[in-house]
Structures are given as structure tokens and as C-alpha cells.
Amino acid sequence: MFHSTLTTFLLVVPLAVLTYAFDTFSEELLLKPLGNDHLYAHFQFATKWDTDPEQESFRHTHMFPRALGEIVARYNVQELHVSLTAGLWMYETWGYPIMDAAPGAELWVWFKEDTENVDKNWKELASSLSGLLCASLNFIDKTNSINPEYTFKPRGAVSSPTINSTFVRYSSLPREIVCTENLTPLKKLLPCEAKQGLGSLLNAGHIYNTRYHSMAIHMRPICRDSSCESVSLELQQSVSLVYDLLILEAKHWSFRKLFGQGVIGRCVLAETATIYVDTTNNESVPFQLKPDPDEYVTSFRGGYVHTYAKYDVQSYVMSLNANYLGKNKVVLNSPPAIYANQYITGYGQERGGIVTTIYNNHWSPLDVVFLQNIPWYVPIYLHTLKIDAGGVRIEPTRIHYIPGRQRERPYHLEVLVKLPARSITSLSIDFDYVFLKWQEYPPDANHGFYIGSAVVSTILPLARNYTGLPQDGSTISDSFNASRSGYLVQMRTESTVITLPTPDFSMPYNVICLACTVVALAFGPLHNITTKRLILIVKDNEHFIVKLKNKVVGIWTRRTSE
Amino acid sequence: METYKQDFEWVDSDPFFRVNGSNIYGILRSQRAHSVESLVLLVSYEQNANFSDWRSHLSVGVAYELFRYFKSLKTLSRDFILLVTEGGDVGVQAWLTGYHYFPLKPSPTGLRYSPIRGYAGELLGGFSIDVRSLLVSGLQLSIAGPNGIQPNSDLLKLISSMSEEFNLHVSIEKQLIHSAAFLHEYLGAYLPFKLSTDFFDLVVNMLLSQITGLPNGPHGPFLNLNIPFVTVRTLEGTKSNGVDILYFGRIIEKVMRVLDTVEEKLHQSFFYYILVTDKHFLPLSLYFIPALFFFLSVSALSLGLWLHCISLIGRANPRAVNPAGDHLPKNLTESRYFKPHEPKGGLAFSLIAGQLRVSFFLAGLSILLAGFSTLLLLHFPTSVCTCTFASMGLFSALVSVPRWVFRSPLEGNWRLLKYLTATCTSSVVLGIFFLNFPLGVMVSLVAIPLLLWARPLAEDVIGNKLVSIIFRGHLYPLLIPPVLITATEKFLRRSPTEDLSLFTRAYYLLGVWSLPLVSFLLWFLFYSSVIILFCPRISIKLKKVIDFNGNNGV
């Protein structure tokens, strides 16, 4: 008996280990000074699992979070991209982030091609993710979702050479507020959670004291090798933070100031655990790192050179300090090749317009895809679409427009346009303000209604201000020396808020008051008129003395009779 | 702080009114939000500022220091914009136009401006500050906006309550005239009591500023876009009565932080109101009641005329008709109450007597309130004001309508025309009341007596002298308000060209004139169509009546 049990144990355990030895986990942190007064911290947690996503049931997982895997399997998801962001990434001054994300919640998903009812799966998936991440993603449904034609292509490996955009869904909730309750579930998806490794730096008390914070989950199938005969499943979890050093009240920064504590050892499950500090501008704004880095890494990418100080996370508590040397210097900001802003034009509550201004600082024309998901209660008019660059009208290369339908689907506008070199191009479209049904107003109706960010996508020929990961990479180290023919950027503009005509919800009270007053005032006269008779009395012309005499006589007569 | 610049130019056909300059603005981004909403702190830098005088730059300095402080705050939930404009209202208008509109194409005249580059979402409100001294004895708020719009009353109350904490008195700028000073000068010596000056000053100024529709500060263009905005000026203090400017900064900071944390916009309909004291106001819901009386007076006139018209057409002898019906005894029908007759002393006397009655009533009411009701005003200023307006409206309704209608020697078709006029006037008056209450009061007070007084100028009313009737008889009431408004703007403002640019004046005057002009057009169309479509028939009917009577010519 004992032998058989032992034999079984000896056989099963190595088998299990062998089965799950094909997943790897790596964690990285990139710290990058942004100008003089901001610091960018990006956590990148990547899990790669050599399993076939088509066959995988997600019943037994090792480092891949089973909670997420079950959702992905249940709703037939091929690719999943979800982000929760607060604050606005300032492209003009900060360059491009490693991962773009729209303010609020953003979700875009590719479903597998054998999905029968995409809309149903989409709605249920959003609800499930809502539970998983404690976010209000359950408000995502077909009334605020679109299927982009050009903007969101699959990021991972696909089996079919043709891409059918009916299987992609995109939606954003710009008003979603991100806080601790979203961070905690994200940390629980990490193999070491927040107990060890870089995850231990995700201290809610500190990371929300930032100007911009974004957390994201990206899941996709990737090629296992260069031949791409088999695929693996990749999960990227990221947390991006931008610290305002003025808020931290010191130019010098340290892990303790940024995260409240140092790294509590190394995650034993992580294959690699690395910290990078961007020291490219160390000559103009010199700072000294303590302890000294293990090594310096130089990256040549897209015509630009970056240097990074590299630290391997050790098994003991580790901290990092940066002390700036010398006096403050003003760093000249070199804006990126392309960035965009969005704003509302017009005033009042009848007509308005949405304008997106795209700045092309590059010396050659750029092809851009502009995507706008406009809620159904902001009806836009395609004939008012104007694309203008320095007073010159530009004809779009292609327009993909699906008009919205009230309470059923949003307005979907996708425009392909070639931006002239060194130009400022404005895309404007007019809309009407509509009345909603009274139950469709939120509790704080006078706060306004949000229009989500526009997404501006382009392929940059150079990697100036570019820190994004290559499409074939999943870690920050994969982006080193990763020169390519083009660099995909997908910028998100500001979300905007508009004030729809809002009824005065205190009106019932006023009406009751007015009605009561009117009733009270009207009751007396009406009661008199209806209950009393109006009769004519013949005017008495008797003299006053005669009247007095009659009265006295009357009284006398009454008394004597009594 | 992100800093941007906007150049602008206002080109007029008159080179004297050429204005150009630059607006500089900085955006302090909130650490928490994503730039969807913002608050504005405006400093309108004077065009002819004396650069050697440090007082000219004090507002900019205070605003800059405030923003340095705001930058250290971690909890801002909205973006803050510091806007420094020059060129008076033109600069503010250029910035707002650039912020809300698509960039304009250059034109030979008008406003030109460079496009705005930095945006911070929807503008929720803010202040314009004007600081002239380091010691502050009080704050003065300028609230008059274009076309009678005023800042949300919550904003005023907020400033008022915050200032109380630092014992700084808040007053409202009396833009146009000092009524109490006028009363003091001419009546004070003869009156046995002290006039309550503040109340009348404020109410009269509020009424006049709403009627004229002229802003009294750089907040005007903001209010025109329904952005709650107010100009806060510091009153120069001495060592004995003044406090340090630091307290002013703390008040502004507190109010900005309160506005920053409010989840919803300031949204109640308290932007058409009459301020009675710095803390009490008369809202739309209260002055709607007196407005109703004014409206009813004209409507009742119209109704009376209609009844008479019907009775005239249906009866052989119009003078013996009882419009109330046949169910009353015969002796009442022929009694003096329903018998039209010439007013004693003629129409002129009748008009003067009526006007005198109204004037005496109002004067008496004013003196009563001013002299004997200090206590009442202190505790119930809003109620007193409502009662005053309601009394005026009620008086107008009671005095003018029944007697004047039936006393005037109105006959046949002329009465019909007058009925139509009264109907139109009542609807116009009601419309004006909804838009601008003080203007409605003024229109009513002028239009109702004029309407009653208006008489045919020719014997044949619908015939040959039609044009003369249309232009002489009926449009007087409507022409009065714009004439008064223009006159007020022209004479009562201290220096219109300095205080207000031509652009803004033209813009607002156009707004003020637009209603009468549109009404004029509508009336003309209405009369033309009525006369063309119906009058031949009516004329024939009336002709029959007149022929039947034999001696009843108009």
C-alpha cells in the first residue's frame, strides 16, 4: 500500500511539474524621469504559458491566474485588453507611454471566430470582468460598444490570414474612477501577489498619490517560436504611474518616497526580476543612483539611443535612491512626432461640436487612423465633418461611419487621413444636444455626460520619445535594440464632458407648492360663489334719523313683548 | 504649469477703436482628474496700465501667488486656469471665443485671434479679481451681466459667507445711479425720517442693470456663455479699518477649493434674480407673481374689448348692450356701470389723472418702505420687495383695466383693432417677463397706459389711413424700452467708451434691440395679415351695424 502510494506520488508530482514547467513569469520596473518634475514608473509583469489557447480548459493553471483563464475560456476570448486609468497622459511633454490607455475604463476584445453570439458574450464578459476587477465594467453593453474596422487589429498571433472585424468589440467608460478596490484584485492575479517581488511595491497609499496611474491586463496568443507553428498564451499585467516630484516635495526620489517601502525580496516564481532606470538624460540633469547599478544597458532603437541602469532584484529587501546633483536645470522639452487634443466647441444646450486637433511634428506626412466612439445621446452629423490643416481642407482617405441609434448603439466614426508634414490638423464634427427620458439621467445629472477619448493610431517611422513594447515582445527588455520599420502608437485624447439639457428635478416640489397656493387662493371665492346666492337688494333711501327711530322702536317693542 | 499665449485684434471701421493685445494663460492640471472640467481665475490687465505704478500689477501678483499655492495642493479635482487678459472685454471675448469656437478665418474687420492651444475641458466658473491695495477694507462684487444674466446666486453667497469669516464686508457694485443719494439730496431735508439707502440703491441698481443688460466687469462675456462668474474688487483700506491682502487671498482660495470639490455644476435657475441685500435675493419664483398681475391687467383689457366687439357686432344698438348677458335685470343693463360715455375732462385729463394715481401710489409705497420699514427691511427684505412688486402689478391691473376700457369712446372696428393690440401686448409682456423681469415691469408700466390711451388718428380706420395707424398708434409701447435702454446706456454710464469696448457695446445693444425689432416685424406681419384676410369682412359687418344705427360713424 505504502509502496503504491509512494510510486503514484513519485510519478504524478514530476508529471505535474513537467506539465506546468512551460510557463514563465517575469517582472520588471522601469523608472524614467520625465522632464524636470515628473517621474514615470512602469511595472511590467509578463506571464508566458506554452499551451494551446484553443485546447486549454484553464482547470489547472500554475502561474497564469485561473480566475481570468476561466473567464477567457467561457466567453471564447482570443485577445483581451482592459485598462483602468485615472489622470491624463500628457503626450506633448512626457512623450509616449509604454502602454497607452484611455482615461477611465477601457476594454477591447477579440473573440474567436467560432463565437456564435458576440454581443451576448461581450456583455457577459464585461460583467465577469467587472466582478474580477471590482470595476463598473458591467455598464458596458452594445449601446456603448463598437467594432472598430481599422484601429484595433489583433496584437497577437492569428490563425486566419483575413481579419473579420465583426469579432472585435471596443468600449470605454470615461467616468470610471480607479482606486484601491481595483488594485487589490490586480495584485491577486500576480503569482507572488504583493507579498514578494516588485508587486510588494504596489502600495495603494502611495501609488494613488500620483498624477497619473493606470493598470492594465493584456492577454493574447503569441508565436512560441519564429516558425510560429505553435502558439503560447501571454498575459501582461502592468501598472503605470507618473509621480509629480513637487507633490513628493523633493526632487530626490527613493523607493521609500515613491512606494512607501523597498522591494521585499524577489518573487521566487519569477524567472527574471529587473529594475531599469532611464539615465539617458543624466548628462543634462545628472543624478546619482544608490546603490550602483549592476550594469548599464544601451539601447539603439529607431535612430535614438537610450541608456538604462539595470538592477537585478535580490532576495533581500532592496531599495533605490536617486540624488540629483547640482542646481536645477531647465530641460528643453522635445515634443513627440505626433500628439492630439480633443475639446468641445460651442456653448448652450442646442448644438455643439467635437474637435480633435492632431499635431504632426514629423518632417514627412503621416497616415493616421482616427477612431471616435460617441454615445447615442450625442447625435453627430457626418456632413459636418471637416478636416482642416492650416486653413486647407483635407479629404480623408477613407471613412467608416456607422450612425448611432437612440438607446441601441453609439455613433462609430473611423477616419483614415494623411496628415501633412509639420502641420496642425483639426477634425471637427457637429452634434446636437438631445433630451433624455427622465429616468435616463444619472443621480448627479448636473455633473454632465462624458464622451470618451478618441483614439489616434499611426505608425511612426522613428522612435523619438517612444518607449512602447514591440509587437513581438512582452517585456521591457524586449524593447531594447528593437528597431523596426515602424512603431505603432495609439494615443488617447482627453475625454470630454457635456451638459445635456437637464430638467430641474426639484420642479415637482415647486409645482406642489404652486398648486397648493392656487388651490388655497381659489377655494375661498369659488366656495362663496357656489354656495351663496347673489341677490339684488333694493336700495334703502330712508333718512338716518328715521332708521334710528325704527331701530329704537323695534328694540322697545321686543322688550315689551318679552 | 502649462503656459500658452493668444494674440488677438479687434479691427473696427473707426481706427480709434482698434484694439490688439495678447492673452496669457496657464493651466494647472489636476493630479487626480483627466482635464474634463476647469475653474478660471481671471485678471483683466488694463490696457493703459501704468507700468511704473505697482498697483497695476497687484492683481497679477496675487493671482500668481495663489496659483503657486494651488500647485502644492494634491487634492485638486479640476484643472485651474489662470487667465491674464488685456484689451478689456475684447481680450476676454477673444479668449472665450477661441476656447469655444473653431478658429476663424481672417476678415478685414471684427475680431481676429490666434487659436487656443491649451484646453482644460468645460469651464465651470470662476472669478475675475481686481486688487488695488495691500490693505483691504471690504470686497465689492460686480455681478451685472449681459442681457440681465447674473452669476449663480450660490456663488455670491459662497463669497459672502467666506468673507464673513474674516470680517470683510461684501457689497454689490452700484453700477448705474445712486437712487438713495438722489432721494437724500432732494427729499431728505423734508422728510422726518431717515431713508433706508442701501436697500433702494441696490434694488434700483439691480433693476436698471438688468434692464440695460450691460456688464460691469470682465465677467460679462463669461456670463454670456452661462459660466458662473463674478468680478471681485478689493476696497482700499487704511491701517485702522483694513486687513492684510493675505485675507483676500485666503477667501479666494477657499472659494476656489469649494468649487473644486462640488460634484455637480452650479445649476439652479438662480441667475435671473434681484439682489435685495448681499445675502438675500428675489428669485424668479417670487417675482413671477407680480409679473402675473401685470400680464393679467393687459389680458383683462383684451378680454373686455373682445366682449364689447362681440356685443357690437351682434346687437343693433351697441350703446344699449349689456356685455355680461341678458340674465340681469333690465335696470342694471342701462345703469351707469355699463353705459359708455366720454370721460370727464377729456382723454388728456383722464390719462394724466391715471398716471398721477399710479405715481402717487408708487411714491407713497416707496416712502412707506423707506421711512417706516427699516426693521421690516432688515429682517424680511425679500418679502418686502416681493410685496412691493406685487402691489405695483396689482395696482396696475385694478386701476387701469375696467374703467378705462368702457369709458373710452371706442367704436366698432377701432375697438377690434385695439383688442388685437392688447392681445399681442399681453403675450409680449409675458414673454419679456420670462426673459427679463425688470424690463417687463418697465414695459408694462409704459405700455399699459399707452395702450389704453392710443386712439384712432383718422376717421376711417381700416380704410385709407391704415399705415398711419400702424405706425402711430400701436408701436409706441414697444419702442419705449429700447429707447430708454439706449438712453440709460448713453447717459448713465460714466464713460462708456472707456469702460466698455465698442465691440461689446454693439453686441449687447443688438441683443437689447433685437426683441423690439423682432416684435415690430411680427406686429407688422400680423396686422397686415389680419387686415388683408379679415378686415374686409369685418368692415362689411360693422358697416351694416353702423348703417342700421344710422348715426354711428367712427
Side-chain angles (χ1 to χ4, degrees):
Chain A
M1 182 67 190
F2 175 75
H3 282 285
S4 65
T5 309
L6 184 67
T7 313
T8 311
F9 181 79
L10 288 173
L11 280 173
V12 167
V13 169
L15 199 66
V17 171
L18 281 172
T19 307
Y20 296 108
F22 299 108
D23 52 356
T24 55
F25 171 70
S26 66
E27 52 181 16
E28 289 169 311
L29 167 63
L30 171 69
L31 293 162
K32 182 186 178 188
L34 300 172
N36 258 355
D37 45 7
H38 290 94
L39 182 73
Y40 178 34
H42 180 86
F43 293 84
Q44 179 77 11
F45 305 98
T47 309
K48 190 181 164 193
W49 187 11
D50 290 343
T51 182
D52 185 4
E54 300 288 337
Q55 307 296 327
E56 183 56 54
S57 64
F58 294 96
R59 285 183 185 169
H60 305 289
T61 61
H62 183 214
M63 281 189 282
F64 193 94
R66 182 179 164 175
L68 182 67
E70 284 179 347
I71 292 171
V72 166
R74 182 180 176 88
Y75 300 112
N76 222 16
V77 173
Q78 185 182 334
E79 270 192 34
L80 169 79
H81 305 268
V82 59
S83 65
L84 297 166
T85 307
L88 184 70
W89 183 269
M90 312 297 292
Y91 289 93
E92 189 180 354
T93 50
W94 298 345
Y96 300 111
I98 293 174
M99 285 183 181
D100 292 279
E106 188 182 47
L107 177 66
W108 63 280
V109 171
W110 274 93
F111 291 93
K112 289 175 186 167
E113 292 198 348
D114 57 346
T115 309
E116 287 178 0
N117 191 341
V118 178
D119 285 331
K120 181 172 172 285
N121 279 24
W122 169 245
K123 169 72 185 154
E124 290 177 359
L125 171 72
S127 299
S128 301
L129 287 173
S130 173
L132 184 72
L133 297 173
C134 292
S136 308
L137 295 168
N138 54 317
F139 287 103
I140 290 177
D141 55 18
K142 64 178 183 178
T143 62
N144 53 18
S145 306
I146 54 173
N147 46 339
E149 184 73 22
Y150 308 113
T151 301
F152 293 112
K153 295 291 178 193
R155 292 286 175 84
V158 288
S159 54
S160 168
T162 56
I163 295 167
N164 187 351
S165 67
T166 53
F167 293 102
V168 65
R169 289 290 181 277
Y170 168 80
S171 185
S172 66
L173 300 172
R175 206 182 167 176
E176 179 68 14
I177 295 165
V178 186
C179 203
T180 318
E181 74 267 19
N182 309 117
L183 180 71
T184 309
L186 185 97
K187 285 194 287 192
K188 286 189 174 177
L189 298 179
L190 297 172
C192 291
E193 298 189 1
K195 290 166 187 155
Q196 275 186 322
L198 293 175
S200 62
L201 296 180
L202 299 176
N203 187 353
H206 285 75
I207 71 166
Y208 289 125
N209 193 20
T210 52
R211 186 157 170 183
Y212 169 90
H213 54 88
S214 172
M215 58 188 73
I217 295 173
H218 302 274
M219 194 219 72
R220 59 175 185 168
I222 55 168
C223 293
R224 200 171 293 179
D225 49 32
S226 57
S227 63
C228 207
E229 286 177 353
S230 54
V231 290
S232 302
L233 199 59
E234 181 209 78
L235 176 70
Q236 293 180 31
Q237 289 167 262
S238 68
V239 177
S240 296
L241 313 165
V242 175
Y243 287 90
D244 192 336
L245 295 180
L246 289 176
I247 293 177
L248 293 178
E249 295 171 349
K251 196 171 173 63
H252 314 294
W253 51 264
S254 65
F255 272 13
R256 188 176 173 77
K257 269 187 186 166
L258 299 176
F259 310 112
Q261 63 185 32
V263 186
I264 307 175
R266 182 190 172 107
C267 173
V268 290
L269 297 171
E271 191 177 80
T272 57
T274 321
I275 298 169
Y276 297 100
V277 182
D278 191 332
T279 54
T280 311
N281 291 324
N282 210 356
E283 289 177 5
S284 52
V285 187
F287 58 86
Q288 189 180 19
L289 292 168
K290 283 184 183 176
D292 291 332
D294 297 335
E295 63 172 313
Y296 281 97
V297 181
T298 305
S299 165
F300 295 92
R301 191 183 190 195
Y304 290 85
V305 183
H306 292 269
T307 54
Y308 298 94
K310 183 183 173 188
Y311 296 87
D312 286 324
V313 178
Q314 305 298 327
S315 55
Y316 47 82
V317 177
M318 182 185 167
S319 187
L320 189 62
N321 300 329
N323 291 314
Y324 281 81
L325 309 170
K327 290 181 179 175
N328 283 346
K329 289 181 184 175
V330 176
V331 180
L332 285 177
N333 177 41
S334 160
I338 186 169
Y339 59 94
N341 295 124
Q342 179 177 271
Y343 54 93
I344 296 288
T345 59
Y347 66 92
Q349 294 185 336
E350 193 182 2
R351 290 187 193 90
I354 307 169
V355 178
T356 308
T357 310
I358 308 173
Y359 298 78
N360 178 13
N361 296 324
H362 193 55
W363 47 265
S364 66
L366 286 175
D367 288 310
V368 161
V369 181
F370 169 82
L371 169 72
Q372 185 90 58
N373 175 9
I374 298 173
W376 59 262
Y377 45 79
V378 186
I380 57 168
Y381 297 102
L382 187 64
H383 73 275
T384 61
L385 177 69
K386 278 181 242 163
I387 306 173
D388 185 272
V392 180
R393 189 81 179 259
I394 295 179
E395 288 301 319
T397 315
R398 188 169 289 184
I399 293 178
H400 178 73
Y401 174 67
I402 298 176
R405 204 177 288 152
Q406 284 207 350
R407 296 169 186 85
E408 286 182 24
R409 69 175 184 217
Y411 291 81
H412 171 195
L413 178 67
E414 246 175 321
V415 182
L416 276 70
V417 65
K418 186 183 276 293
L419 305 181
R422 296 190 183 281
S423 65
I424 301 172
T425 307
S426 296
L427 288 94
S428 71
I429 193 158
D430 293 350
F431 64 82
D432 277 351
Y433 290 87
V434 296
F435 282 107
L436 300 180
K437 291 177 181 171
W438 70 279
Q439 283 181 320
E440 288 168 347
Y441 287 92
D444 49 356
N446 282 285
H447 178 75
F449 291 79
Y450 281 75
I451 299 176
S453 314
V455 184
V456 181
S457 311
T458 190
I459 304 282
L460 292 174
L462 295 173
R464 192 173 83 187
N465 304 86
Y466 187 77
T467 52
L469 303 182
Q471 192 162 1
D472 53 355
S474 51
T475 59
I476 293 171
S477 58
D478 289 340
S479 67
F480 298 158
N481 301 310
S483 289
R484 302 285 187 274
S485 58
Y487 303 91
L488 174 71
V489 287
Q490 291 197 315
M491 295 165 292
R492 269 72 169 179
T493 63
E494 301 93 333
S495 50
T496 50
V497 65
I498 58 166
T499 309
L500 293 184
T502 310
D504 182 1
F505 287 105
S506 64
M507 186 55 84
Y509 165 76
N510 297 338
V511 169
I512 290 167
C513 289
L514 190 66
C516 290
T517 311
V518 169
V519 167
L521 286 174
F523 178 76
L526 282 175
H527 183 260
N528 278 339
I529 289 166
T530 49
T531 55
K532 291 178 182 174
R533 187 185 292 172
L534 193 66
I535 55 167
L536 285 171
I537 298 173
V538 179
K539 198 173 179 183
D540 193 359
N541 289 326
E542 282 181 336
H543 199 269
F544 174 70
I545 297 171
V546 180
K547 272 193 210 171
L548 195 66
K549 185 190 158 192
N550 288 341
K551 254 186 189 172
V552 172
V553 170
I555 292 165
W556 179 258
T557 318
R558 221 181 296 151
R559 279 193 177 177
T560 48
S561 65
E562 287 170 359
Chain B
M1 196 158 75
E2 299 167 26
T3 314
Y4 303 93
K5 185 183 171 192
Q6 184 206 30
D7 297 320
F8 66 88
E9 187 178 24
W10 164 252
V11 183
D12 199 278
S13 51
D14 185 353
F16 181 74
F17 292 110
R18 199 183 183 93
V19 179
N20 57 6
S22 301
N23 296 325
I24 294 173
Y25 66 103
I27 301 173
L28 184 63
R29 300 283 177 191
S30 145
Q31 289 87 15
R32 297 287 184 273
H34 38 269
S35 292
V36 291
E37 292 165 324
S38 54
L39 298 168
V40 183
L41 188 67
L42 166 68
V43 177
S44 182
Y45 199 73
E46 287 181 19
Q47 200 176 6
N48 302 316
N50 184 358
F51 284 95
S52 60
D53 185 7
W54 56 271
R55 287 180 181 81
S56 303
H57 320 297
L58 204 52
S59 305
V60 182
V62 169
Y64 185 74
E65 278 302 314
L66 274 167
F67 267 68
R68 266 178 49 145
Y69 171 70
F70 289 145
K71 192 165 170 54
S72 68
L73 299 177
K74 301 174 186 176
T75 52
L76 297 184
S77 57
R78 286 172 178 137
D79 290 357
F80 281 14
I81 299 176
L82 172 58
L83 171 63
V84 181
T85 62
E86 62 175 348
D89 291 357
V90 178
V92 181
Q93 189 70 50
W95 188 81
L96 276 174
T97 314
Y99 198 91
H100 289 94
Y101 290 93
F102 211 56
L104 294 176
K105 285 184 179 176
S107 60
T109 57
L111 186 64
R112 296 178 199 166
Y113 53 85
S114 56
I116 293 280
R117 291 286 173 233
Y119 285 87
E122 191 180 9
L123 306 178
L124 289 187
F127 307 95
S128 163
I129 58 168
D130 187 3
V131 186
R132 288 309 178 97
S133 63
L134 292 172
L135 288 174
V136 180
S137 64
L139 301 182
Q140 191 180 58
L141 306 182
S142 301
I143 60 168
N147 300 323
I149 303 173
Q150 289 165 141
N152 192 297
S153 59
D154 290 339
L155 188 61
L156 302 184
K157 279 188 279 186
L158 193 62
I159 299 171
S160 191
S161 59
M162 292 294 173
S163 306
E164 265 182 13
E165 290 184 21
F166 299 103
N167 293 325
L168 272 177
H169 177 65
V170 175
S171 58
I172 309 295
E173 190 194 1
K174 281 100 185 177
Q175 175 195 8
L176 294 164
I177 58 167
H178 289 272
S179 57
F182 175 81
L183 287 173
H184 261 300
E185 192 177 340
Y186 292 98
L187 297 173
Y190 305 102
L191 294 175
F193 47 79
K194 194 184 170 188
L195 287 169
S196 174
T197 54
D198 283 348
F199 175 77
F200 275 95
D201 259 9
L202 197 57
V203 173
V204 170
N205 272 285
M206 288 296 294
L207 292 176
L208 284 176
S209 65
Q210 284 196 30
I211 289 170
T212 54
L214 291 170
N216 58 350
H219 59 278
F222 280 90
L223 291 178
N224 207 24
L225 304 185
N226 267 338
I227 301 166
F229 223 84
V230 67
T231 298
V232 187
R233 292 192 174 90
T234 57
L235 298 173
E236 194 165 348
T238 59
K239 283 186 179 175
S240 59
N241 69 352
V243 295
D244 194 84
I245 198 171
L246 180 70
Y247 292 99
F248 171 71
R250 288 175 72 177
I251 292 168
I252 298 295
E253 178 234 327
K254 277 190 156 191
V255 179
M256 291 286 271
R257 287 178 75 156
V258 169
L259 290 176
D260 181 57
T261 50
V262 173
E263 173 71 6
E264 295 194 336
K265 298 176 186 74
L266 300 176
H267 62 271
Q268 281 292 357
S269 56
F270 297 145
F271 48 87
Y272 282 120
Y273 55 86
I274 292 163
L275 218 57
V276 183
T277 69
D278 58 337
K279 294 190 196 97
H280 298 88
F281 66 98
L282 196 67
L284 178 73
S285 54
L286 282 180
Y287 66 64
F288 184 75
I289 297 163
L292 204 63
F293 284 126
F294 279 110
F295 166 69
L296 285 177
S297 66
V298 192
S299 304
L301 168 68
S302 174
L303 185 69
L305 286 163
W306 178 64
L307 289 170
H308 247 184
C309 286
I310 291 172
S311 63
L312 272 175
I313 293 168
R315 299 277 172 172
N317 182 6
R319 293 199 173 194
V321 165
N322 173 10
D326 292 334
H327 59 277
L328 287 176
K330 197 176 177 183
N331 59 344
L332 262 183
T333 313
E334 292 176 351
S335 71
R336 60 192 169 94
Y337 298 105
F338 293 101
K339 189 175 180 183
H341 62 275
E342 288 282 344
K344 287 173 185 174
L347 275 174
F349 175 76
S350 174
L351 175 71
I352 292 165
Q355 293 286 17
L356 279 175
R357 273 202 296 270
V358 176
S359 307
F360 280 135
F361 173 76
L362 293 180
L365 198 67
S366 307
I367 290 166
L368 188 75
L369 288 172
F372 302 108
S373 312
T374 312
L375 197 68
L376 209 63
L377 286 174
L378 189 67
H379 295 289
F380 312 105
T382 311
S383 310
V384 170
C385 209
T386 315
C387 291
T388 311
F389 285 126
S391 307
M392 286 164 66
L394 196 60
F395 185 80
S396 165
L398 293 176
V399 167
S400 63
V401 176
R403 299 167 70 162
W404 284 49
V405 172
F406 301 113
R407 275 188 182 182
S408 302
L410 300 170
E411 296 299 341
N413 41 14
W414 169 243
R415 189 167 293 153
L416 180 71
L417 208 55
K418 200 162 177 174
Y419 153 65
L420 296 173
T421 312
T423 311
C424 276
T425 311
S426 61
S427 52
V428 168
V429 163
L430 187 66
I432 294 174
F433 271 124
F434 274 117
L435 293 174
N436 190 336
F437 173 70
L439 190 63
V441 172
M442 182 180 252
V443 169
S444 302
L445 287 177
V446 178
I448 294 169
L450 274 175
L451 184 65
L452 296 161
W453 172 67
R455 299 192 63 223
L457 300 171
E459 284 192 353
D460 188 1
V461 178
I462 307 176
N464 300 327
K465 300 285 177 76
L466 182 65
V467 179
S468 70
I469 290 157
I470 289 170
F471 283 96
R472 288 188 199 177
H474 295 74
L475 295 173
Y476 294 154
L478 272 184
L479 287 176
I480 294 295
V483 169
L484 278 175
I485 290 157
T486 313
T488 320
E489 193 271 336
K490 196 83 180 167
F491 298 113
L492 293 182
R493 280 190 73 85
R494 282 156 295 186
S495 49
T497 49
E498 284 175 21
D499 287 352
L500 208 66
S501 67
L502 185 71
F503 167 76
T504 320
R505 279 199 308 148
Y507 182 72
Y508 296 135
L509 281 179
L510 182 69
V512 167
W513 272 93
S514 61
L515 183 67
L517 288 173
V518 170
S519 306
F520 180 88
L521 189 67
L522 286 176
W523 279 43
F524 185 78
L525 292 173
F526 179 74
Y527 277 126
S528 307
S529 56
V530 163
I531 288 163
I532 291 164
L533 292 173
F534 302 112
C535 278
R537 214 168 54 190
I538 295 168
S539 176
I540 291 162
K541 279 191 176 178
L542 288 169
K543 199 83 179 170
K544 283 178 184 172
V545 173
I546 292 160
D547 287 345
F548 186 78
N549 295 329
N551 55 350
N552 285 328
V554 177

